[in-house]
Amino acid sequence: MSTPPPGSLVLGPYVLPNRLFVAPMAGVTDRPFRVLCKKLGAGYAVSEMVTSRKDLWNSLKTSRRANHEGESAPISVQIAGTDASMMAEAAAYNVDRGAQIIDINMGCPAKKVCNKWAGSALMQDEALALEIVEAVVAACAPRGVPVTLKMRTGWCQAEKNAVALARAAESAGVAMVTVHGRTREQGYSGRAEYDTIAAVKAALRIPVVANGDIDTPHKAREVLAATGADAIMIGRAAQGRPWIFAEIAHFLATGEELPAPRIADAKGWLIEHLHDHYALYGELTGMRSARKHIGWAVRALPGGEDFRRRMNTLETCDGQVRALTDWLDALADDHDRLPYLPTADDAIDGALDDADTDAAAAANDEHQDQERRLTA
């Protein structure tokens, strides 16, 4: 292999163009959103988690999550479950449908996941966690597919076992580890801490990715310096602001902040994303699930909250597109670039909590349940 370009990262057979990653988020990081983030500067994106339960693979929800049409390589799919053989089978299933990297979920704090002893609950049972890692690696290695792992610092403040589990995962063949700087007990409350991530980085030879509370270019630089991580993963701060990856890349390279995007450019990106979203989900579900993306995009702009409430009353995809176009055009009458409010960073820091992601996932599930009832 030739020498990778500066700023890139090697993951198995893939050279990632940069070290800025999109975090997997249920109800958010579907294919249209991943494509948008990659277009706007992300070097890598991980899918929403796909269940290891075989009886759900033919569901509309899972089939959409396994749809990678038009997505640039490498395609990374996150799987979740509690049984090693089922997780290995799920890995093979997704590889057969285009996954080029498999990510194991040991970081999700959602109650409906942890109550089934999946996600970050697995960190309470290191033996089972390692059994799952070994089974998934065994299923993927013959196919040349790297396996990665996303975890938290531990189950609770008194049980931070990220270093021990990360070491075991590396020995089992995992190619990269991502650590969210909170325990499962914290959920998304409080502040992420980075000392544990730094300890994981110091203990491993494989790439380590830092995740948690990275919402500005300055914070990205601080976290990289504090942890020594090979990359950073951004989740909630990219909701409604997918150009944050370009902003961070520019700042890390030059030390200078990019101005906010021109409204005309942002409008083009957002409208293109809506059409891609509708194409994947269809008219009814697409219209409803697009509301969260539109709301996130406008919330830190003047008049954004009033527009979000009005937009949520619209019942067609065309109506959403027209309303967003007209609203942004009106904003452009007075501004060339997106006029983020002075408190935007504080608002993002406080508002991007678990409720957004859980509500998005719940709404998505509800819409798909409705579709299944209609087609039953």
Side-chain angles (χ1 to χ4, degrees), residues 102-230:
I102 293 294
D103 184 64
I104 300 173
N105 182 329
M106 291 189 194
C108 179
K111 289 181 180 179
K112 70 177 182 179
V113 175
C114 288
N115 286 346
K116 299 174 184 176
W117 286 91
S120 55
L122 284 170
M123 297 188 73
Q124 285 188 290
D125 189 338
E126 290 185 19
L128 176 58
L130 184 57
E131 182 185 354
I132 287 172
V133 169
E134 290 172 341
V136 173
V137 169
C140 291
R143 300 164 178 253
V145 173
V147 175
T148 61
L149 174 64
K150 189 170 192 290
M151 64 169 67
R152 292 203 158 216
T153 57
W155 178 255
C156 62
Q157 184 66 26
E159 299 177 23
K160 290 189 176 181
N161 59 340
V163 172
L165 188 54
R167 279 178 172 155
E170 180 183 42
S171 297
V174 161
M176 183 173 75
V177 170
T178 298
V179 184
H180 182 112
R182 288 182 173 88
T183 63
R184 157 60 181 89
E185 187 178 57
Q186 285 180 271
Y188 291 97
S189 65
R191 297 284 180 176
E193 57 91 359
Y194 305 110
D195 289 346
T196 303
I197 302 175
V200 172
K201 171 58 185 171
L204 270 56
R205 298 180 301 277
I206 58 175
V208 172
V209 184
N211 176 224
D213 289 355
I214 303 170
D215 54 10
T216 67
H218 287 273
K219 188 61 174 286
R221 185 171 66 181
E222 291 172 8
V223 172
L224 284 169
T227 62
D230 300 279

Side-chain angles (χ1 to χ4, degrees), residues 23 41 76 82 97 109 125 224 248 270 362 364 366:
S76 177
T82 60
R97 281 151 186 78
D125 189 338
L224 284 169
I248 291 174
L270 294 173
N364 209 36
E366 178 186 351

Side-chain angles (χ1 to χ4, degrees), residues 20 217 220-222 224 232 247-256:
L20 309 177
R221 185 171 66 181
E222 291 172 8
L224 284 169
I232 54 175
E247 294 172 343
I248 291 174
H250 181 81
F251 181 75
L252 293 179
T254 68
E256 299 176 354

Side-chain angles (χ1 to χ4, degrees), residues 333-345:
D333 288 340
D334 298 316
H335 307 275
D336 178 45
R337 298 181 180 274
L338 291 174
Y340 288 116
L341 298 172
T343 58
D345 287 345

